[in-house]
């Protein structure tokens, strides 16, 4: 799967070269291509923004610069996503849906945002990672890449995906590992029993219990 990221700060994405996503890149399961929007500025100082028409605080990213950056990697088969607090919330269903795409182009805004005209022209969908505002779209883009990549075939073992939180509409059951006793707290006996049917039943009960306690809104 290919991710093209249009950003003013490509260096922020270096963190994705580590852990599971880094291994997926090494195995050519995913490809993350970073396009510096600033490279397409026609200004000798590489300026990419200007004051907003109508007045107001802050600066707005210029449409021509963003459009030229997009044109450099344009693909009619790619889906263009703008990371925006005004977008639809990212959830598990959307993550799994996007993982079926072959090519995503992710646009990261900055400052007070991007000129609406270029958004209207190139963006297919706006996505938000929550009802709050960040300084730019780079961190949300990384969240999107990480969450979607986990569902690309070969990145994780299939069982890992099936049993995690939200995959079945519930939160995941509690996990335990060695030592068997920690600070006086023992691992639940059922997990030591080797009885797979009882373990599965316990895990389902705990998933429902955890969901009721932490996220009852999911059950509504």
């Amino acid at each position: 799967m290919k991710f093209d990221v249009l950003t003013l700060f490509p260096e922020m994405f270096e963190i994705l070269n580590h852990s599971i996503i880094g291994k997926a890149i090494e195995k050519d399961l995913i490809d993350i291509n970073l396009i510096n929007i600033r490279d397409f500025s026609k200004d000798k100082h590489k300026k990419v923004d200007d004051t907003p028409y109508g007045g107001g605080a802050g600066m707005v990213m210029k449409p021509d610069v963003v459009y030229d950056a997009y044109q450099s990697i344009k693909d009619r088969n790619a889906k263009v996503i703008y990371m925006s607090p005004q977008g639809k919330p990212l959830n598990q269903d959307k993550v799994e849906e996007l993982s079926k795409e072959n090519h995503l182009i992710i646009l990261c805004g900055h400052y007070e945002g991007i000129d609406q005209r270029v958004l209207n022209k190139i963006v297919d969908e706006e996505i938000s990672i929550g009802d709050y505002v960040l300084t730019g779209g780079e961190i949300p883009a990384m969240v999107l890449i990480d969450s979607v990549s986990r569902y690309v075939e070969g990145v994780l073992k299939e069982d890992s995906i099936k049993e995690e939180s939200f995959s079945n509409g519930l939160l995941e059951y509690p996990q335990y590992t060695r030592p068997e006793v920690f600070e006086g707290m023992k691992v639940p006996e059922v997990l030591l029993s080797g009885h797979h049917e009882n373990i599965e039943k316990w895990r389902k009960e705990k998933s429902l219990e955890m969901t009721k306690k932490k996220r009852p809104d999911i059950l509504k």
Side-chain angles (χ1 to χ4, degrees):
M1 183 174 190
K2 184 175 183 179
F3 297 93
D4 279 320
V5 184
L6 301 170
T7 173
L8 292 174
F9 300 96
E11 60 275 12
M12 290 182 67
F13 291 83
E14 195 277 332
I15 194 172
L16 294 179
N17 292 319
H18 303 279
S19 190
I20 292 172
I21 304 303
K23 291 177 181 177
I25 294 171
E26 290 177 2
K27 294 177 181 178
D28 293 324
L29 297 173
I30 63 173
D31 176 23
I32 302 174
N33 179 39
L34 304 172
I35 300 93
N36 192 335
I37 298 172
R38 201 175 298 279
D39 290 342
F40 297 85
S41 173
K42 301 174 181 66
D43 183 87
K44 66 179 181 179
H45 301 296
K46 295 298 181 181
K47 188 177 180 181
V48 297
D49 58 354
D50 211 330
T51 54
Y53 279 118
M59 304 290 277
V60 177
M61 289 175 64
K62 300 173 69 173
D64 54 341
V65 180
V66 173
Y67 186 66
D68 288 347
Y70 163 74
Q71 285 287 89
S72 73
I73 43 90
K74 181 180 178 180
D75 179 353
R76 291 182 180 178
N77 296 316
K79 186 165 192 174
V80 181
I81 295 172
Y82 175 44
M83 305 309 299
S84 164
Q86 297 184 13
K88 293 181 179 179
L90 182 65
N91 57 28
Q92 195 68 23
D93 288 340
K94 177 55 66 174
V95 165
E96 294 184 33
E97 176 190 319
L98 293 176
S99 71
K100 296 177 175 60
E101 299 283 342
N102 293 318
H103 186 187
L104 294 178
I105 297 174
I106 305 174
L107 175 59
C108 304
H110 229 77
Y111 313 122
E112 288 301 309
I114 300 175
D115 188 296
Q116 187 65 41
R117 291 168 295 181
V118 72
L119 297 180
N120 292 343
K121 187 170 182 64
I122 71 173
V123 172
D124 296 310
E125 184 173 1
E126 293 189 21
I127 291 180
S128 167
I129 63 167
D131 293 337
Y132 46 86
V133 180
L134 299 174
T135 55
E138 284 75 19
I139 292 175
M142 284 187 267
V143 170
L144 182 70
I145 292 171
D146 186 288
S147 59
V148 170
S149 294
R150 299 174 78 259
Y151 281 82
V152 173
E153 186 176 356
V155 174
L156 290 179
K157 293 180 180 179
E158 190 174 349
D159 288 347
S160 297
I161 297 173
K162 285 181 179 179
E163 295 185 359
E164 60 191 7
S165 292
F166 304 109
S167 59
N168 62 355
L170 298 174
L171 299 185
E172 190 177 9
Y173 47 80
Q175 297 281 10
Y176 299 88
T177 188
R178 294 179 179 84
E180 188 175 322
V181 179
F182 168 69
E183 294 290 315
M185 296 176 284
K186 292 190 65 177
V187 173
E189 289 293 335
V190 65
L191 299 180
L192 307 174
S193 68
H195 195 298
H196 297 297
E197 186 176 332
N198 287 348
I199 291 173
E200 183 66 20
K201 180 181 178 182
W202 178 88
R203 285 175 168 171
K204 287 181 179 178
E205 290 173 350
K206 286 299 176 180
S207 283
L208 182 58
E209 181 182 311
M210 296 285 278
T211 306
K212 286 181 177 178
K213 181 180 179 180
K214 296 182 177 181
R215 291 292 304 277
D217 56 295
I218 296 176
L219 299 174
K220 293 180 180 179

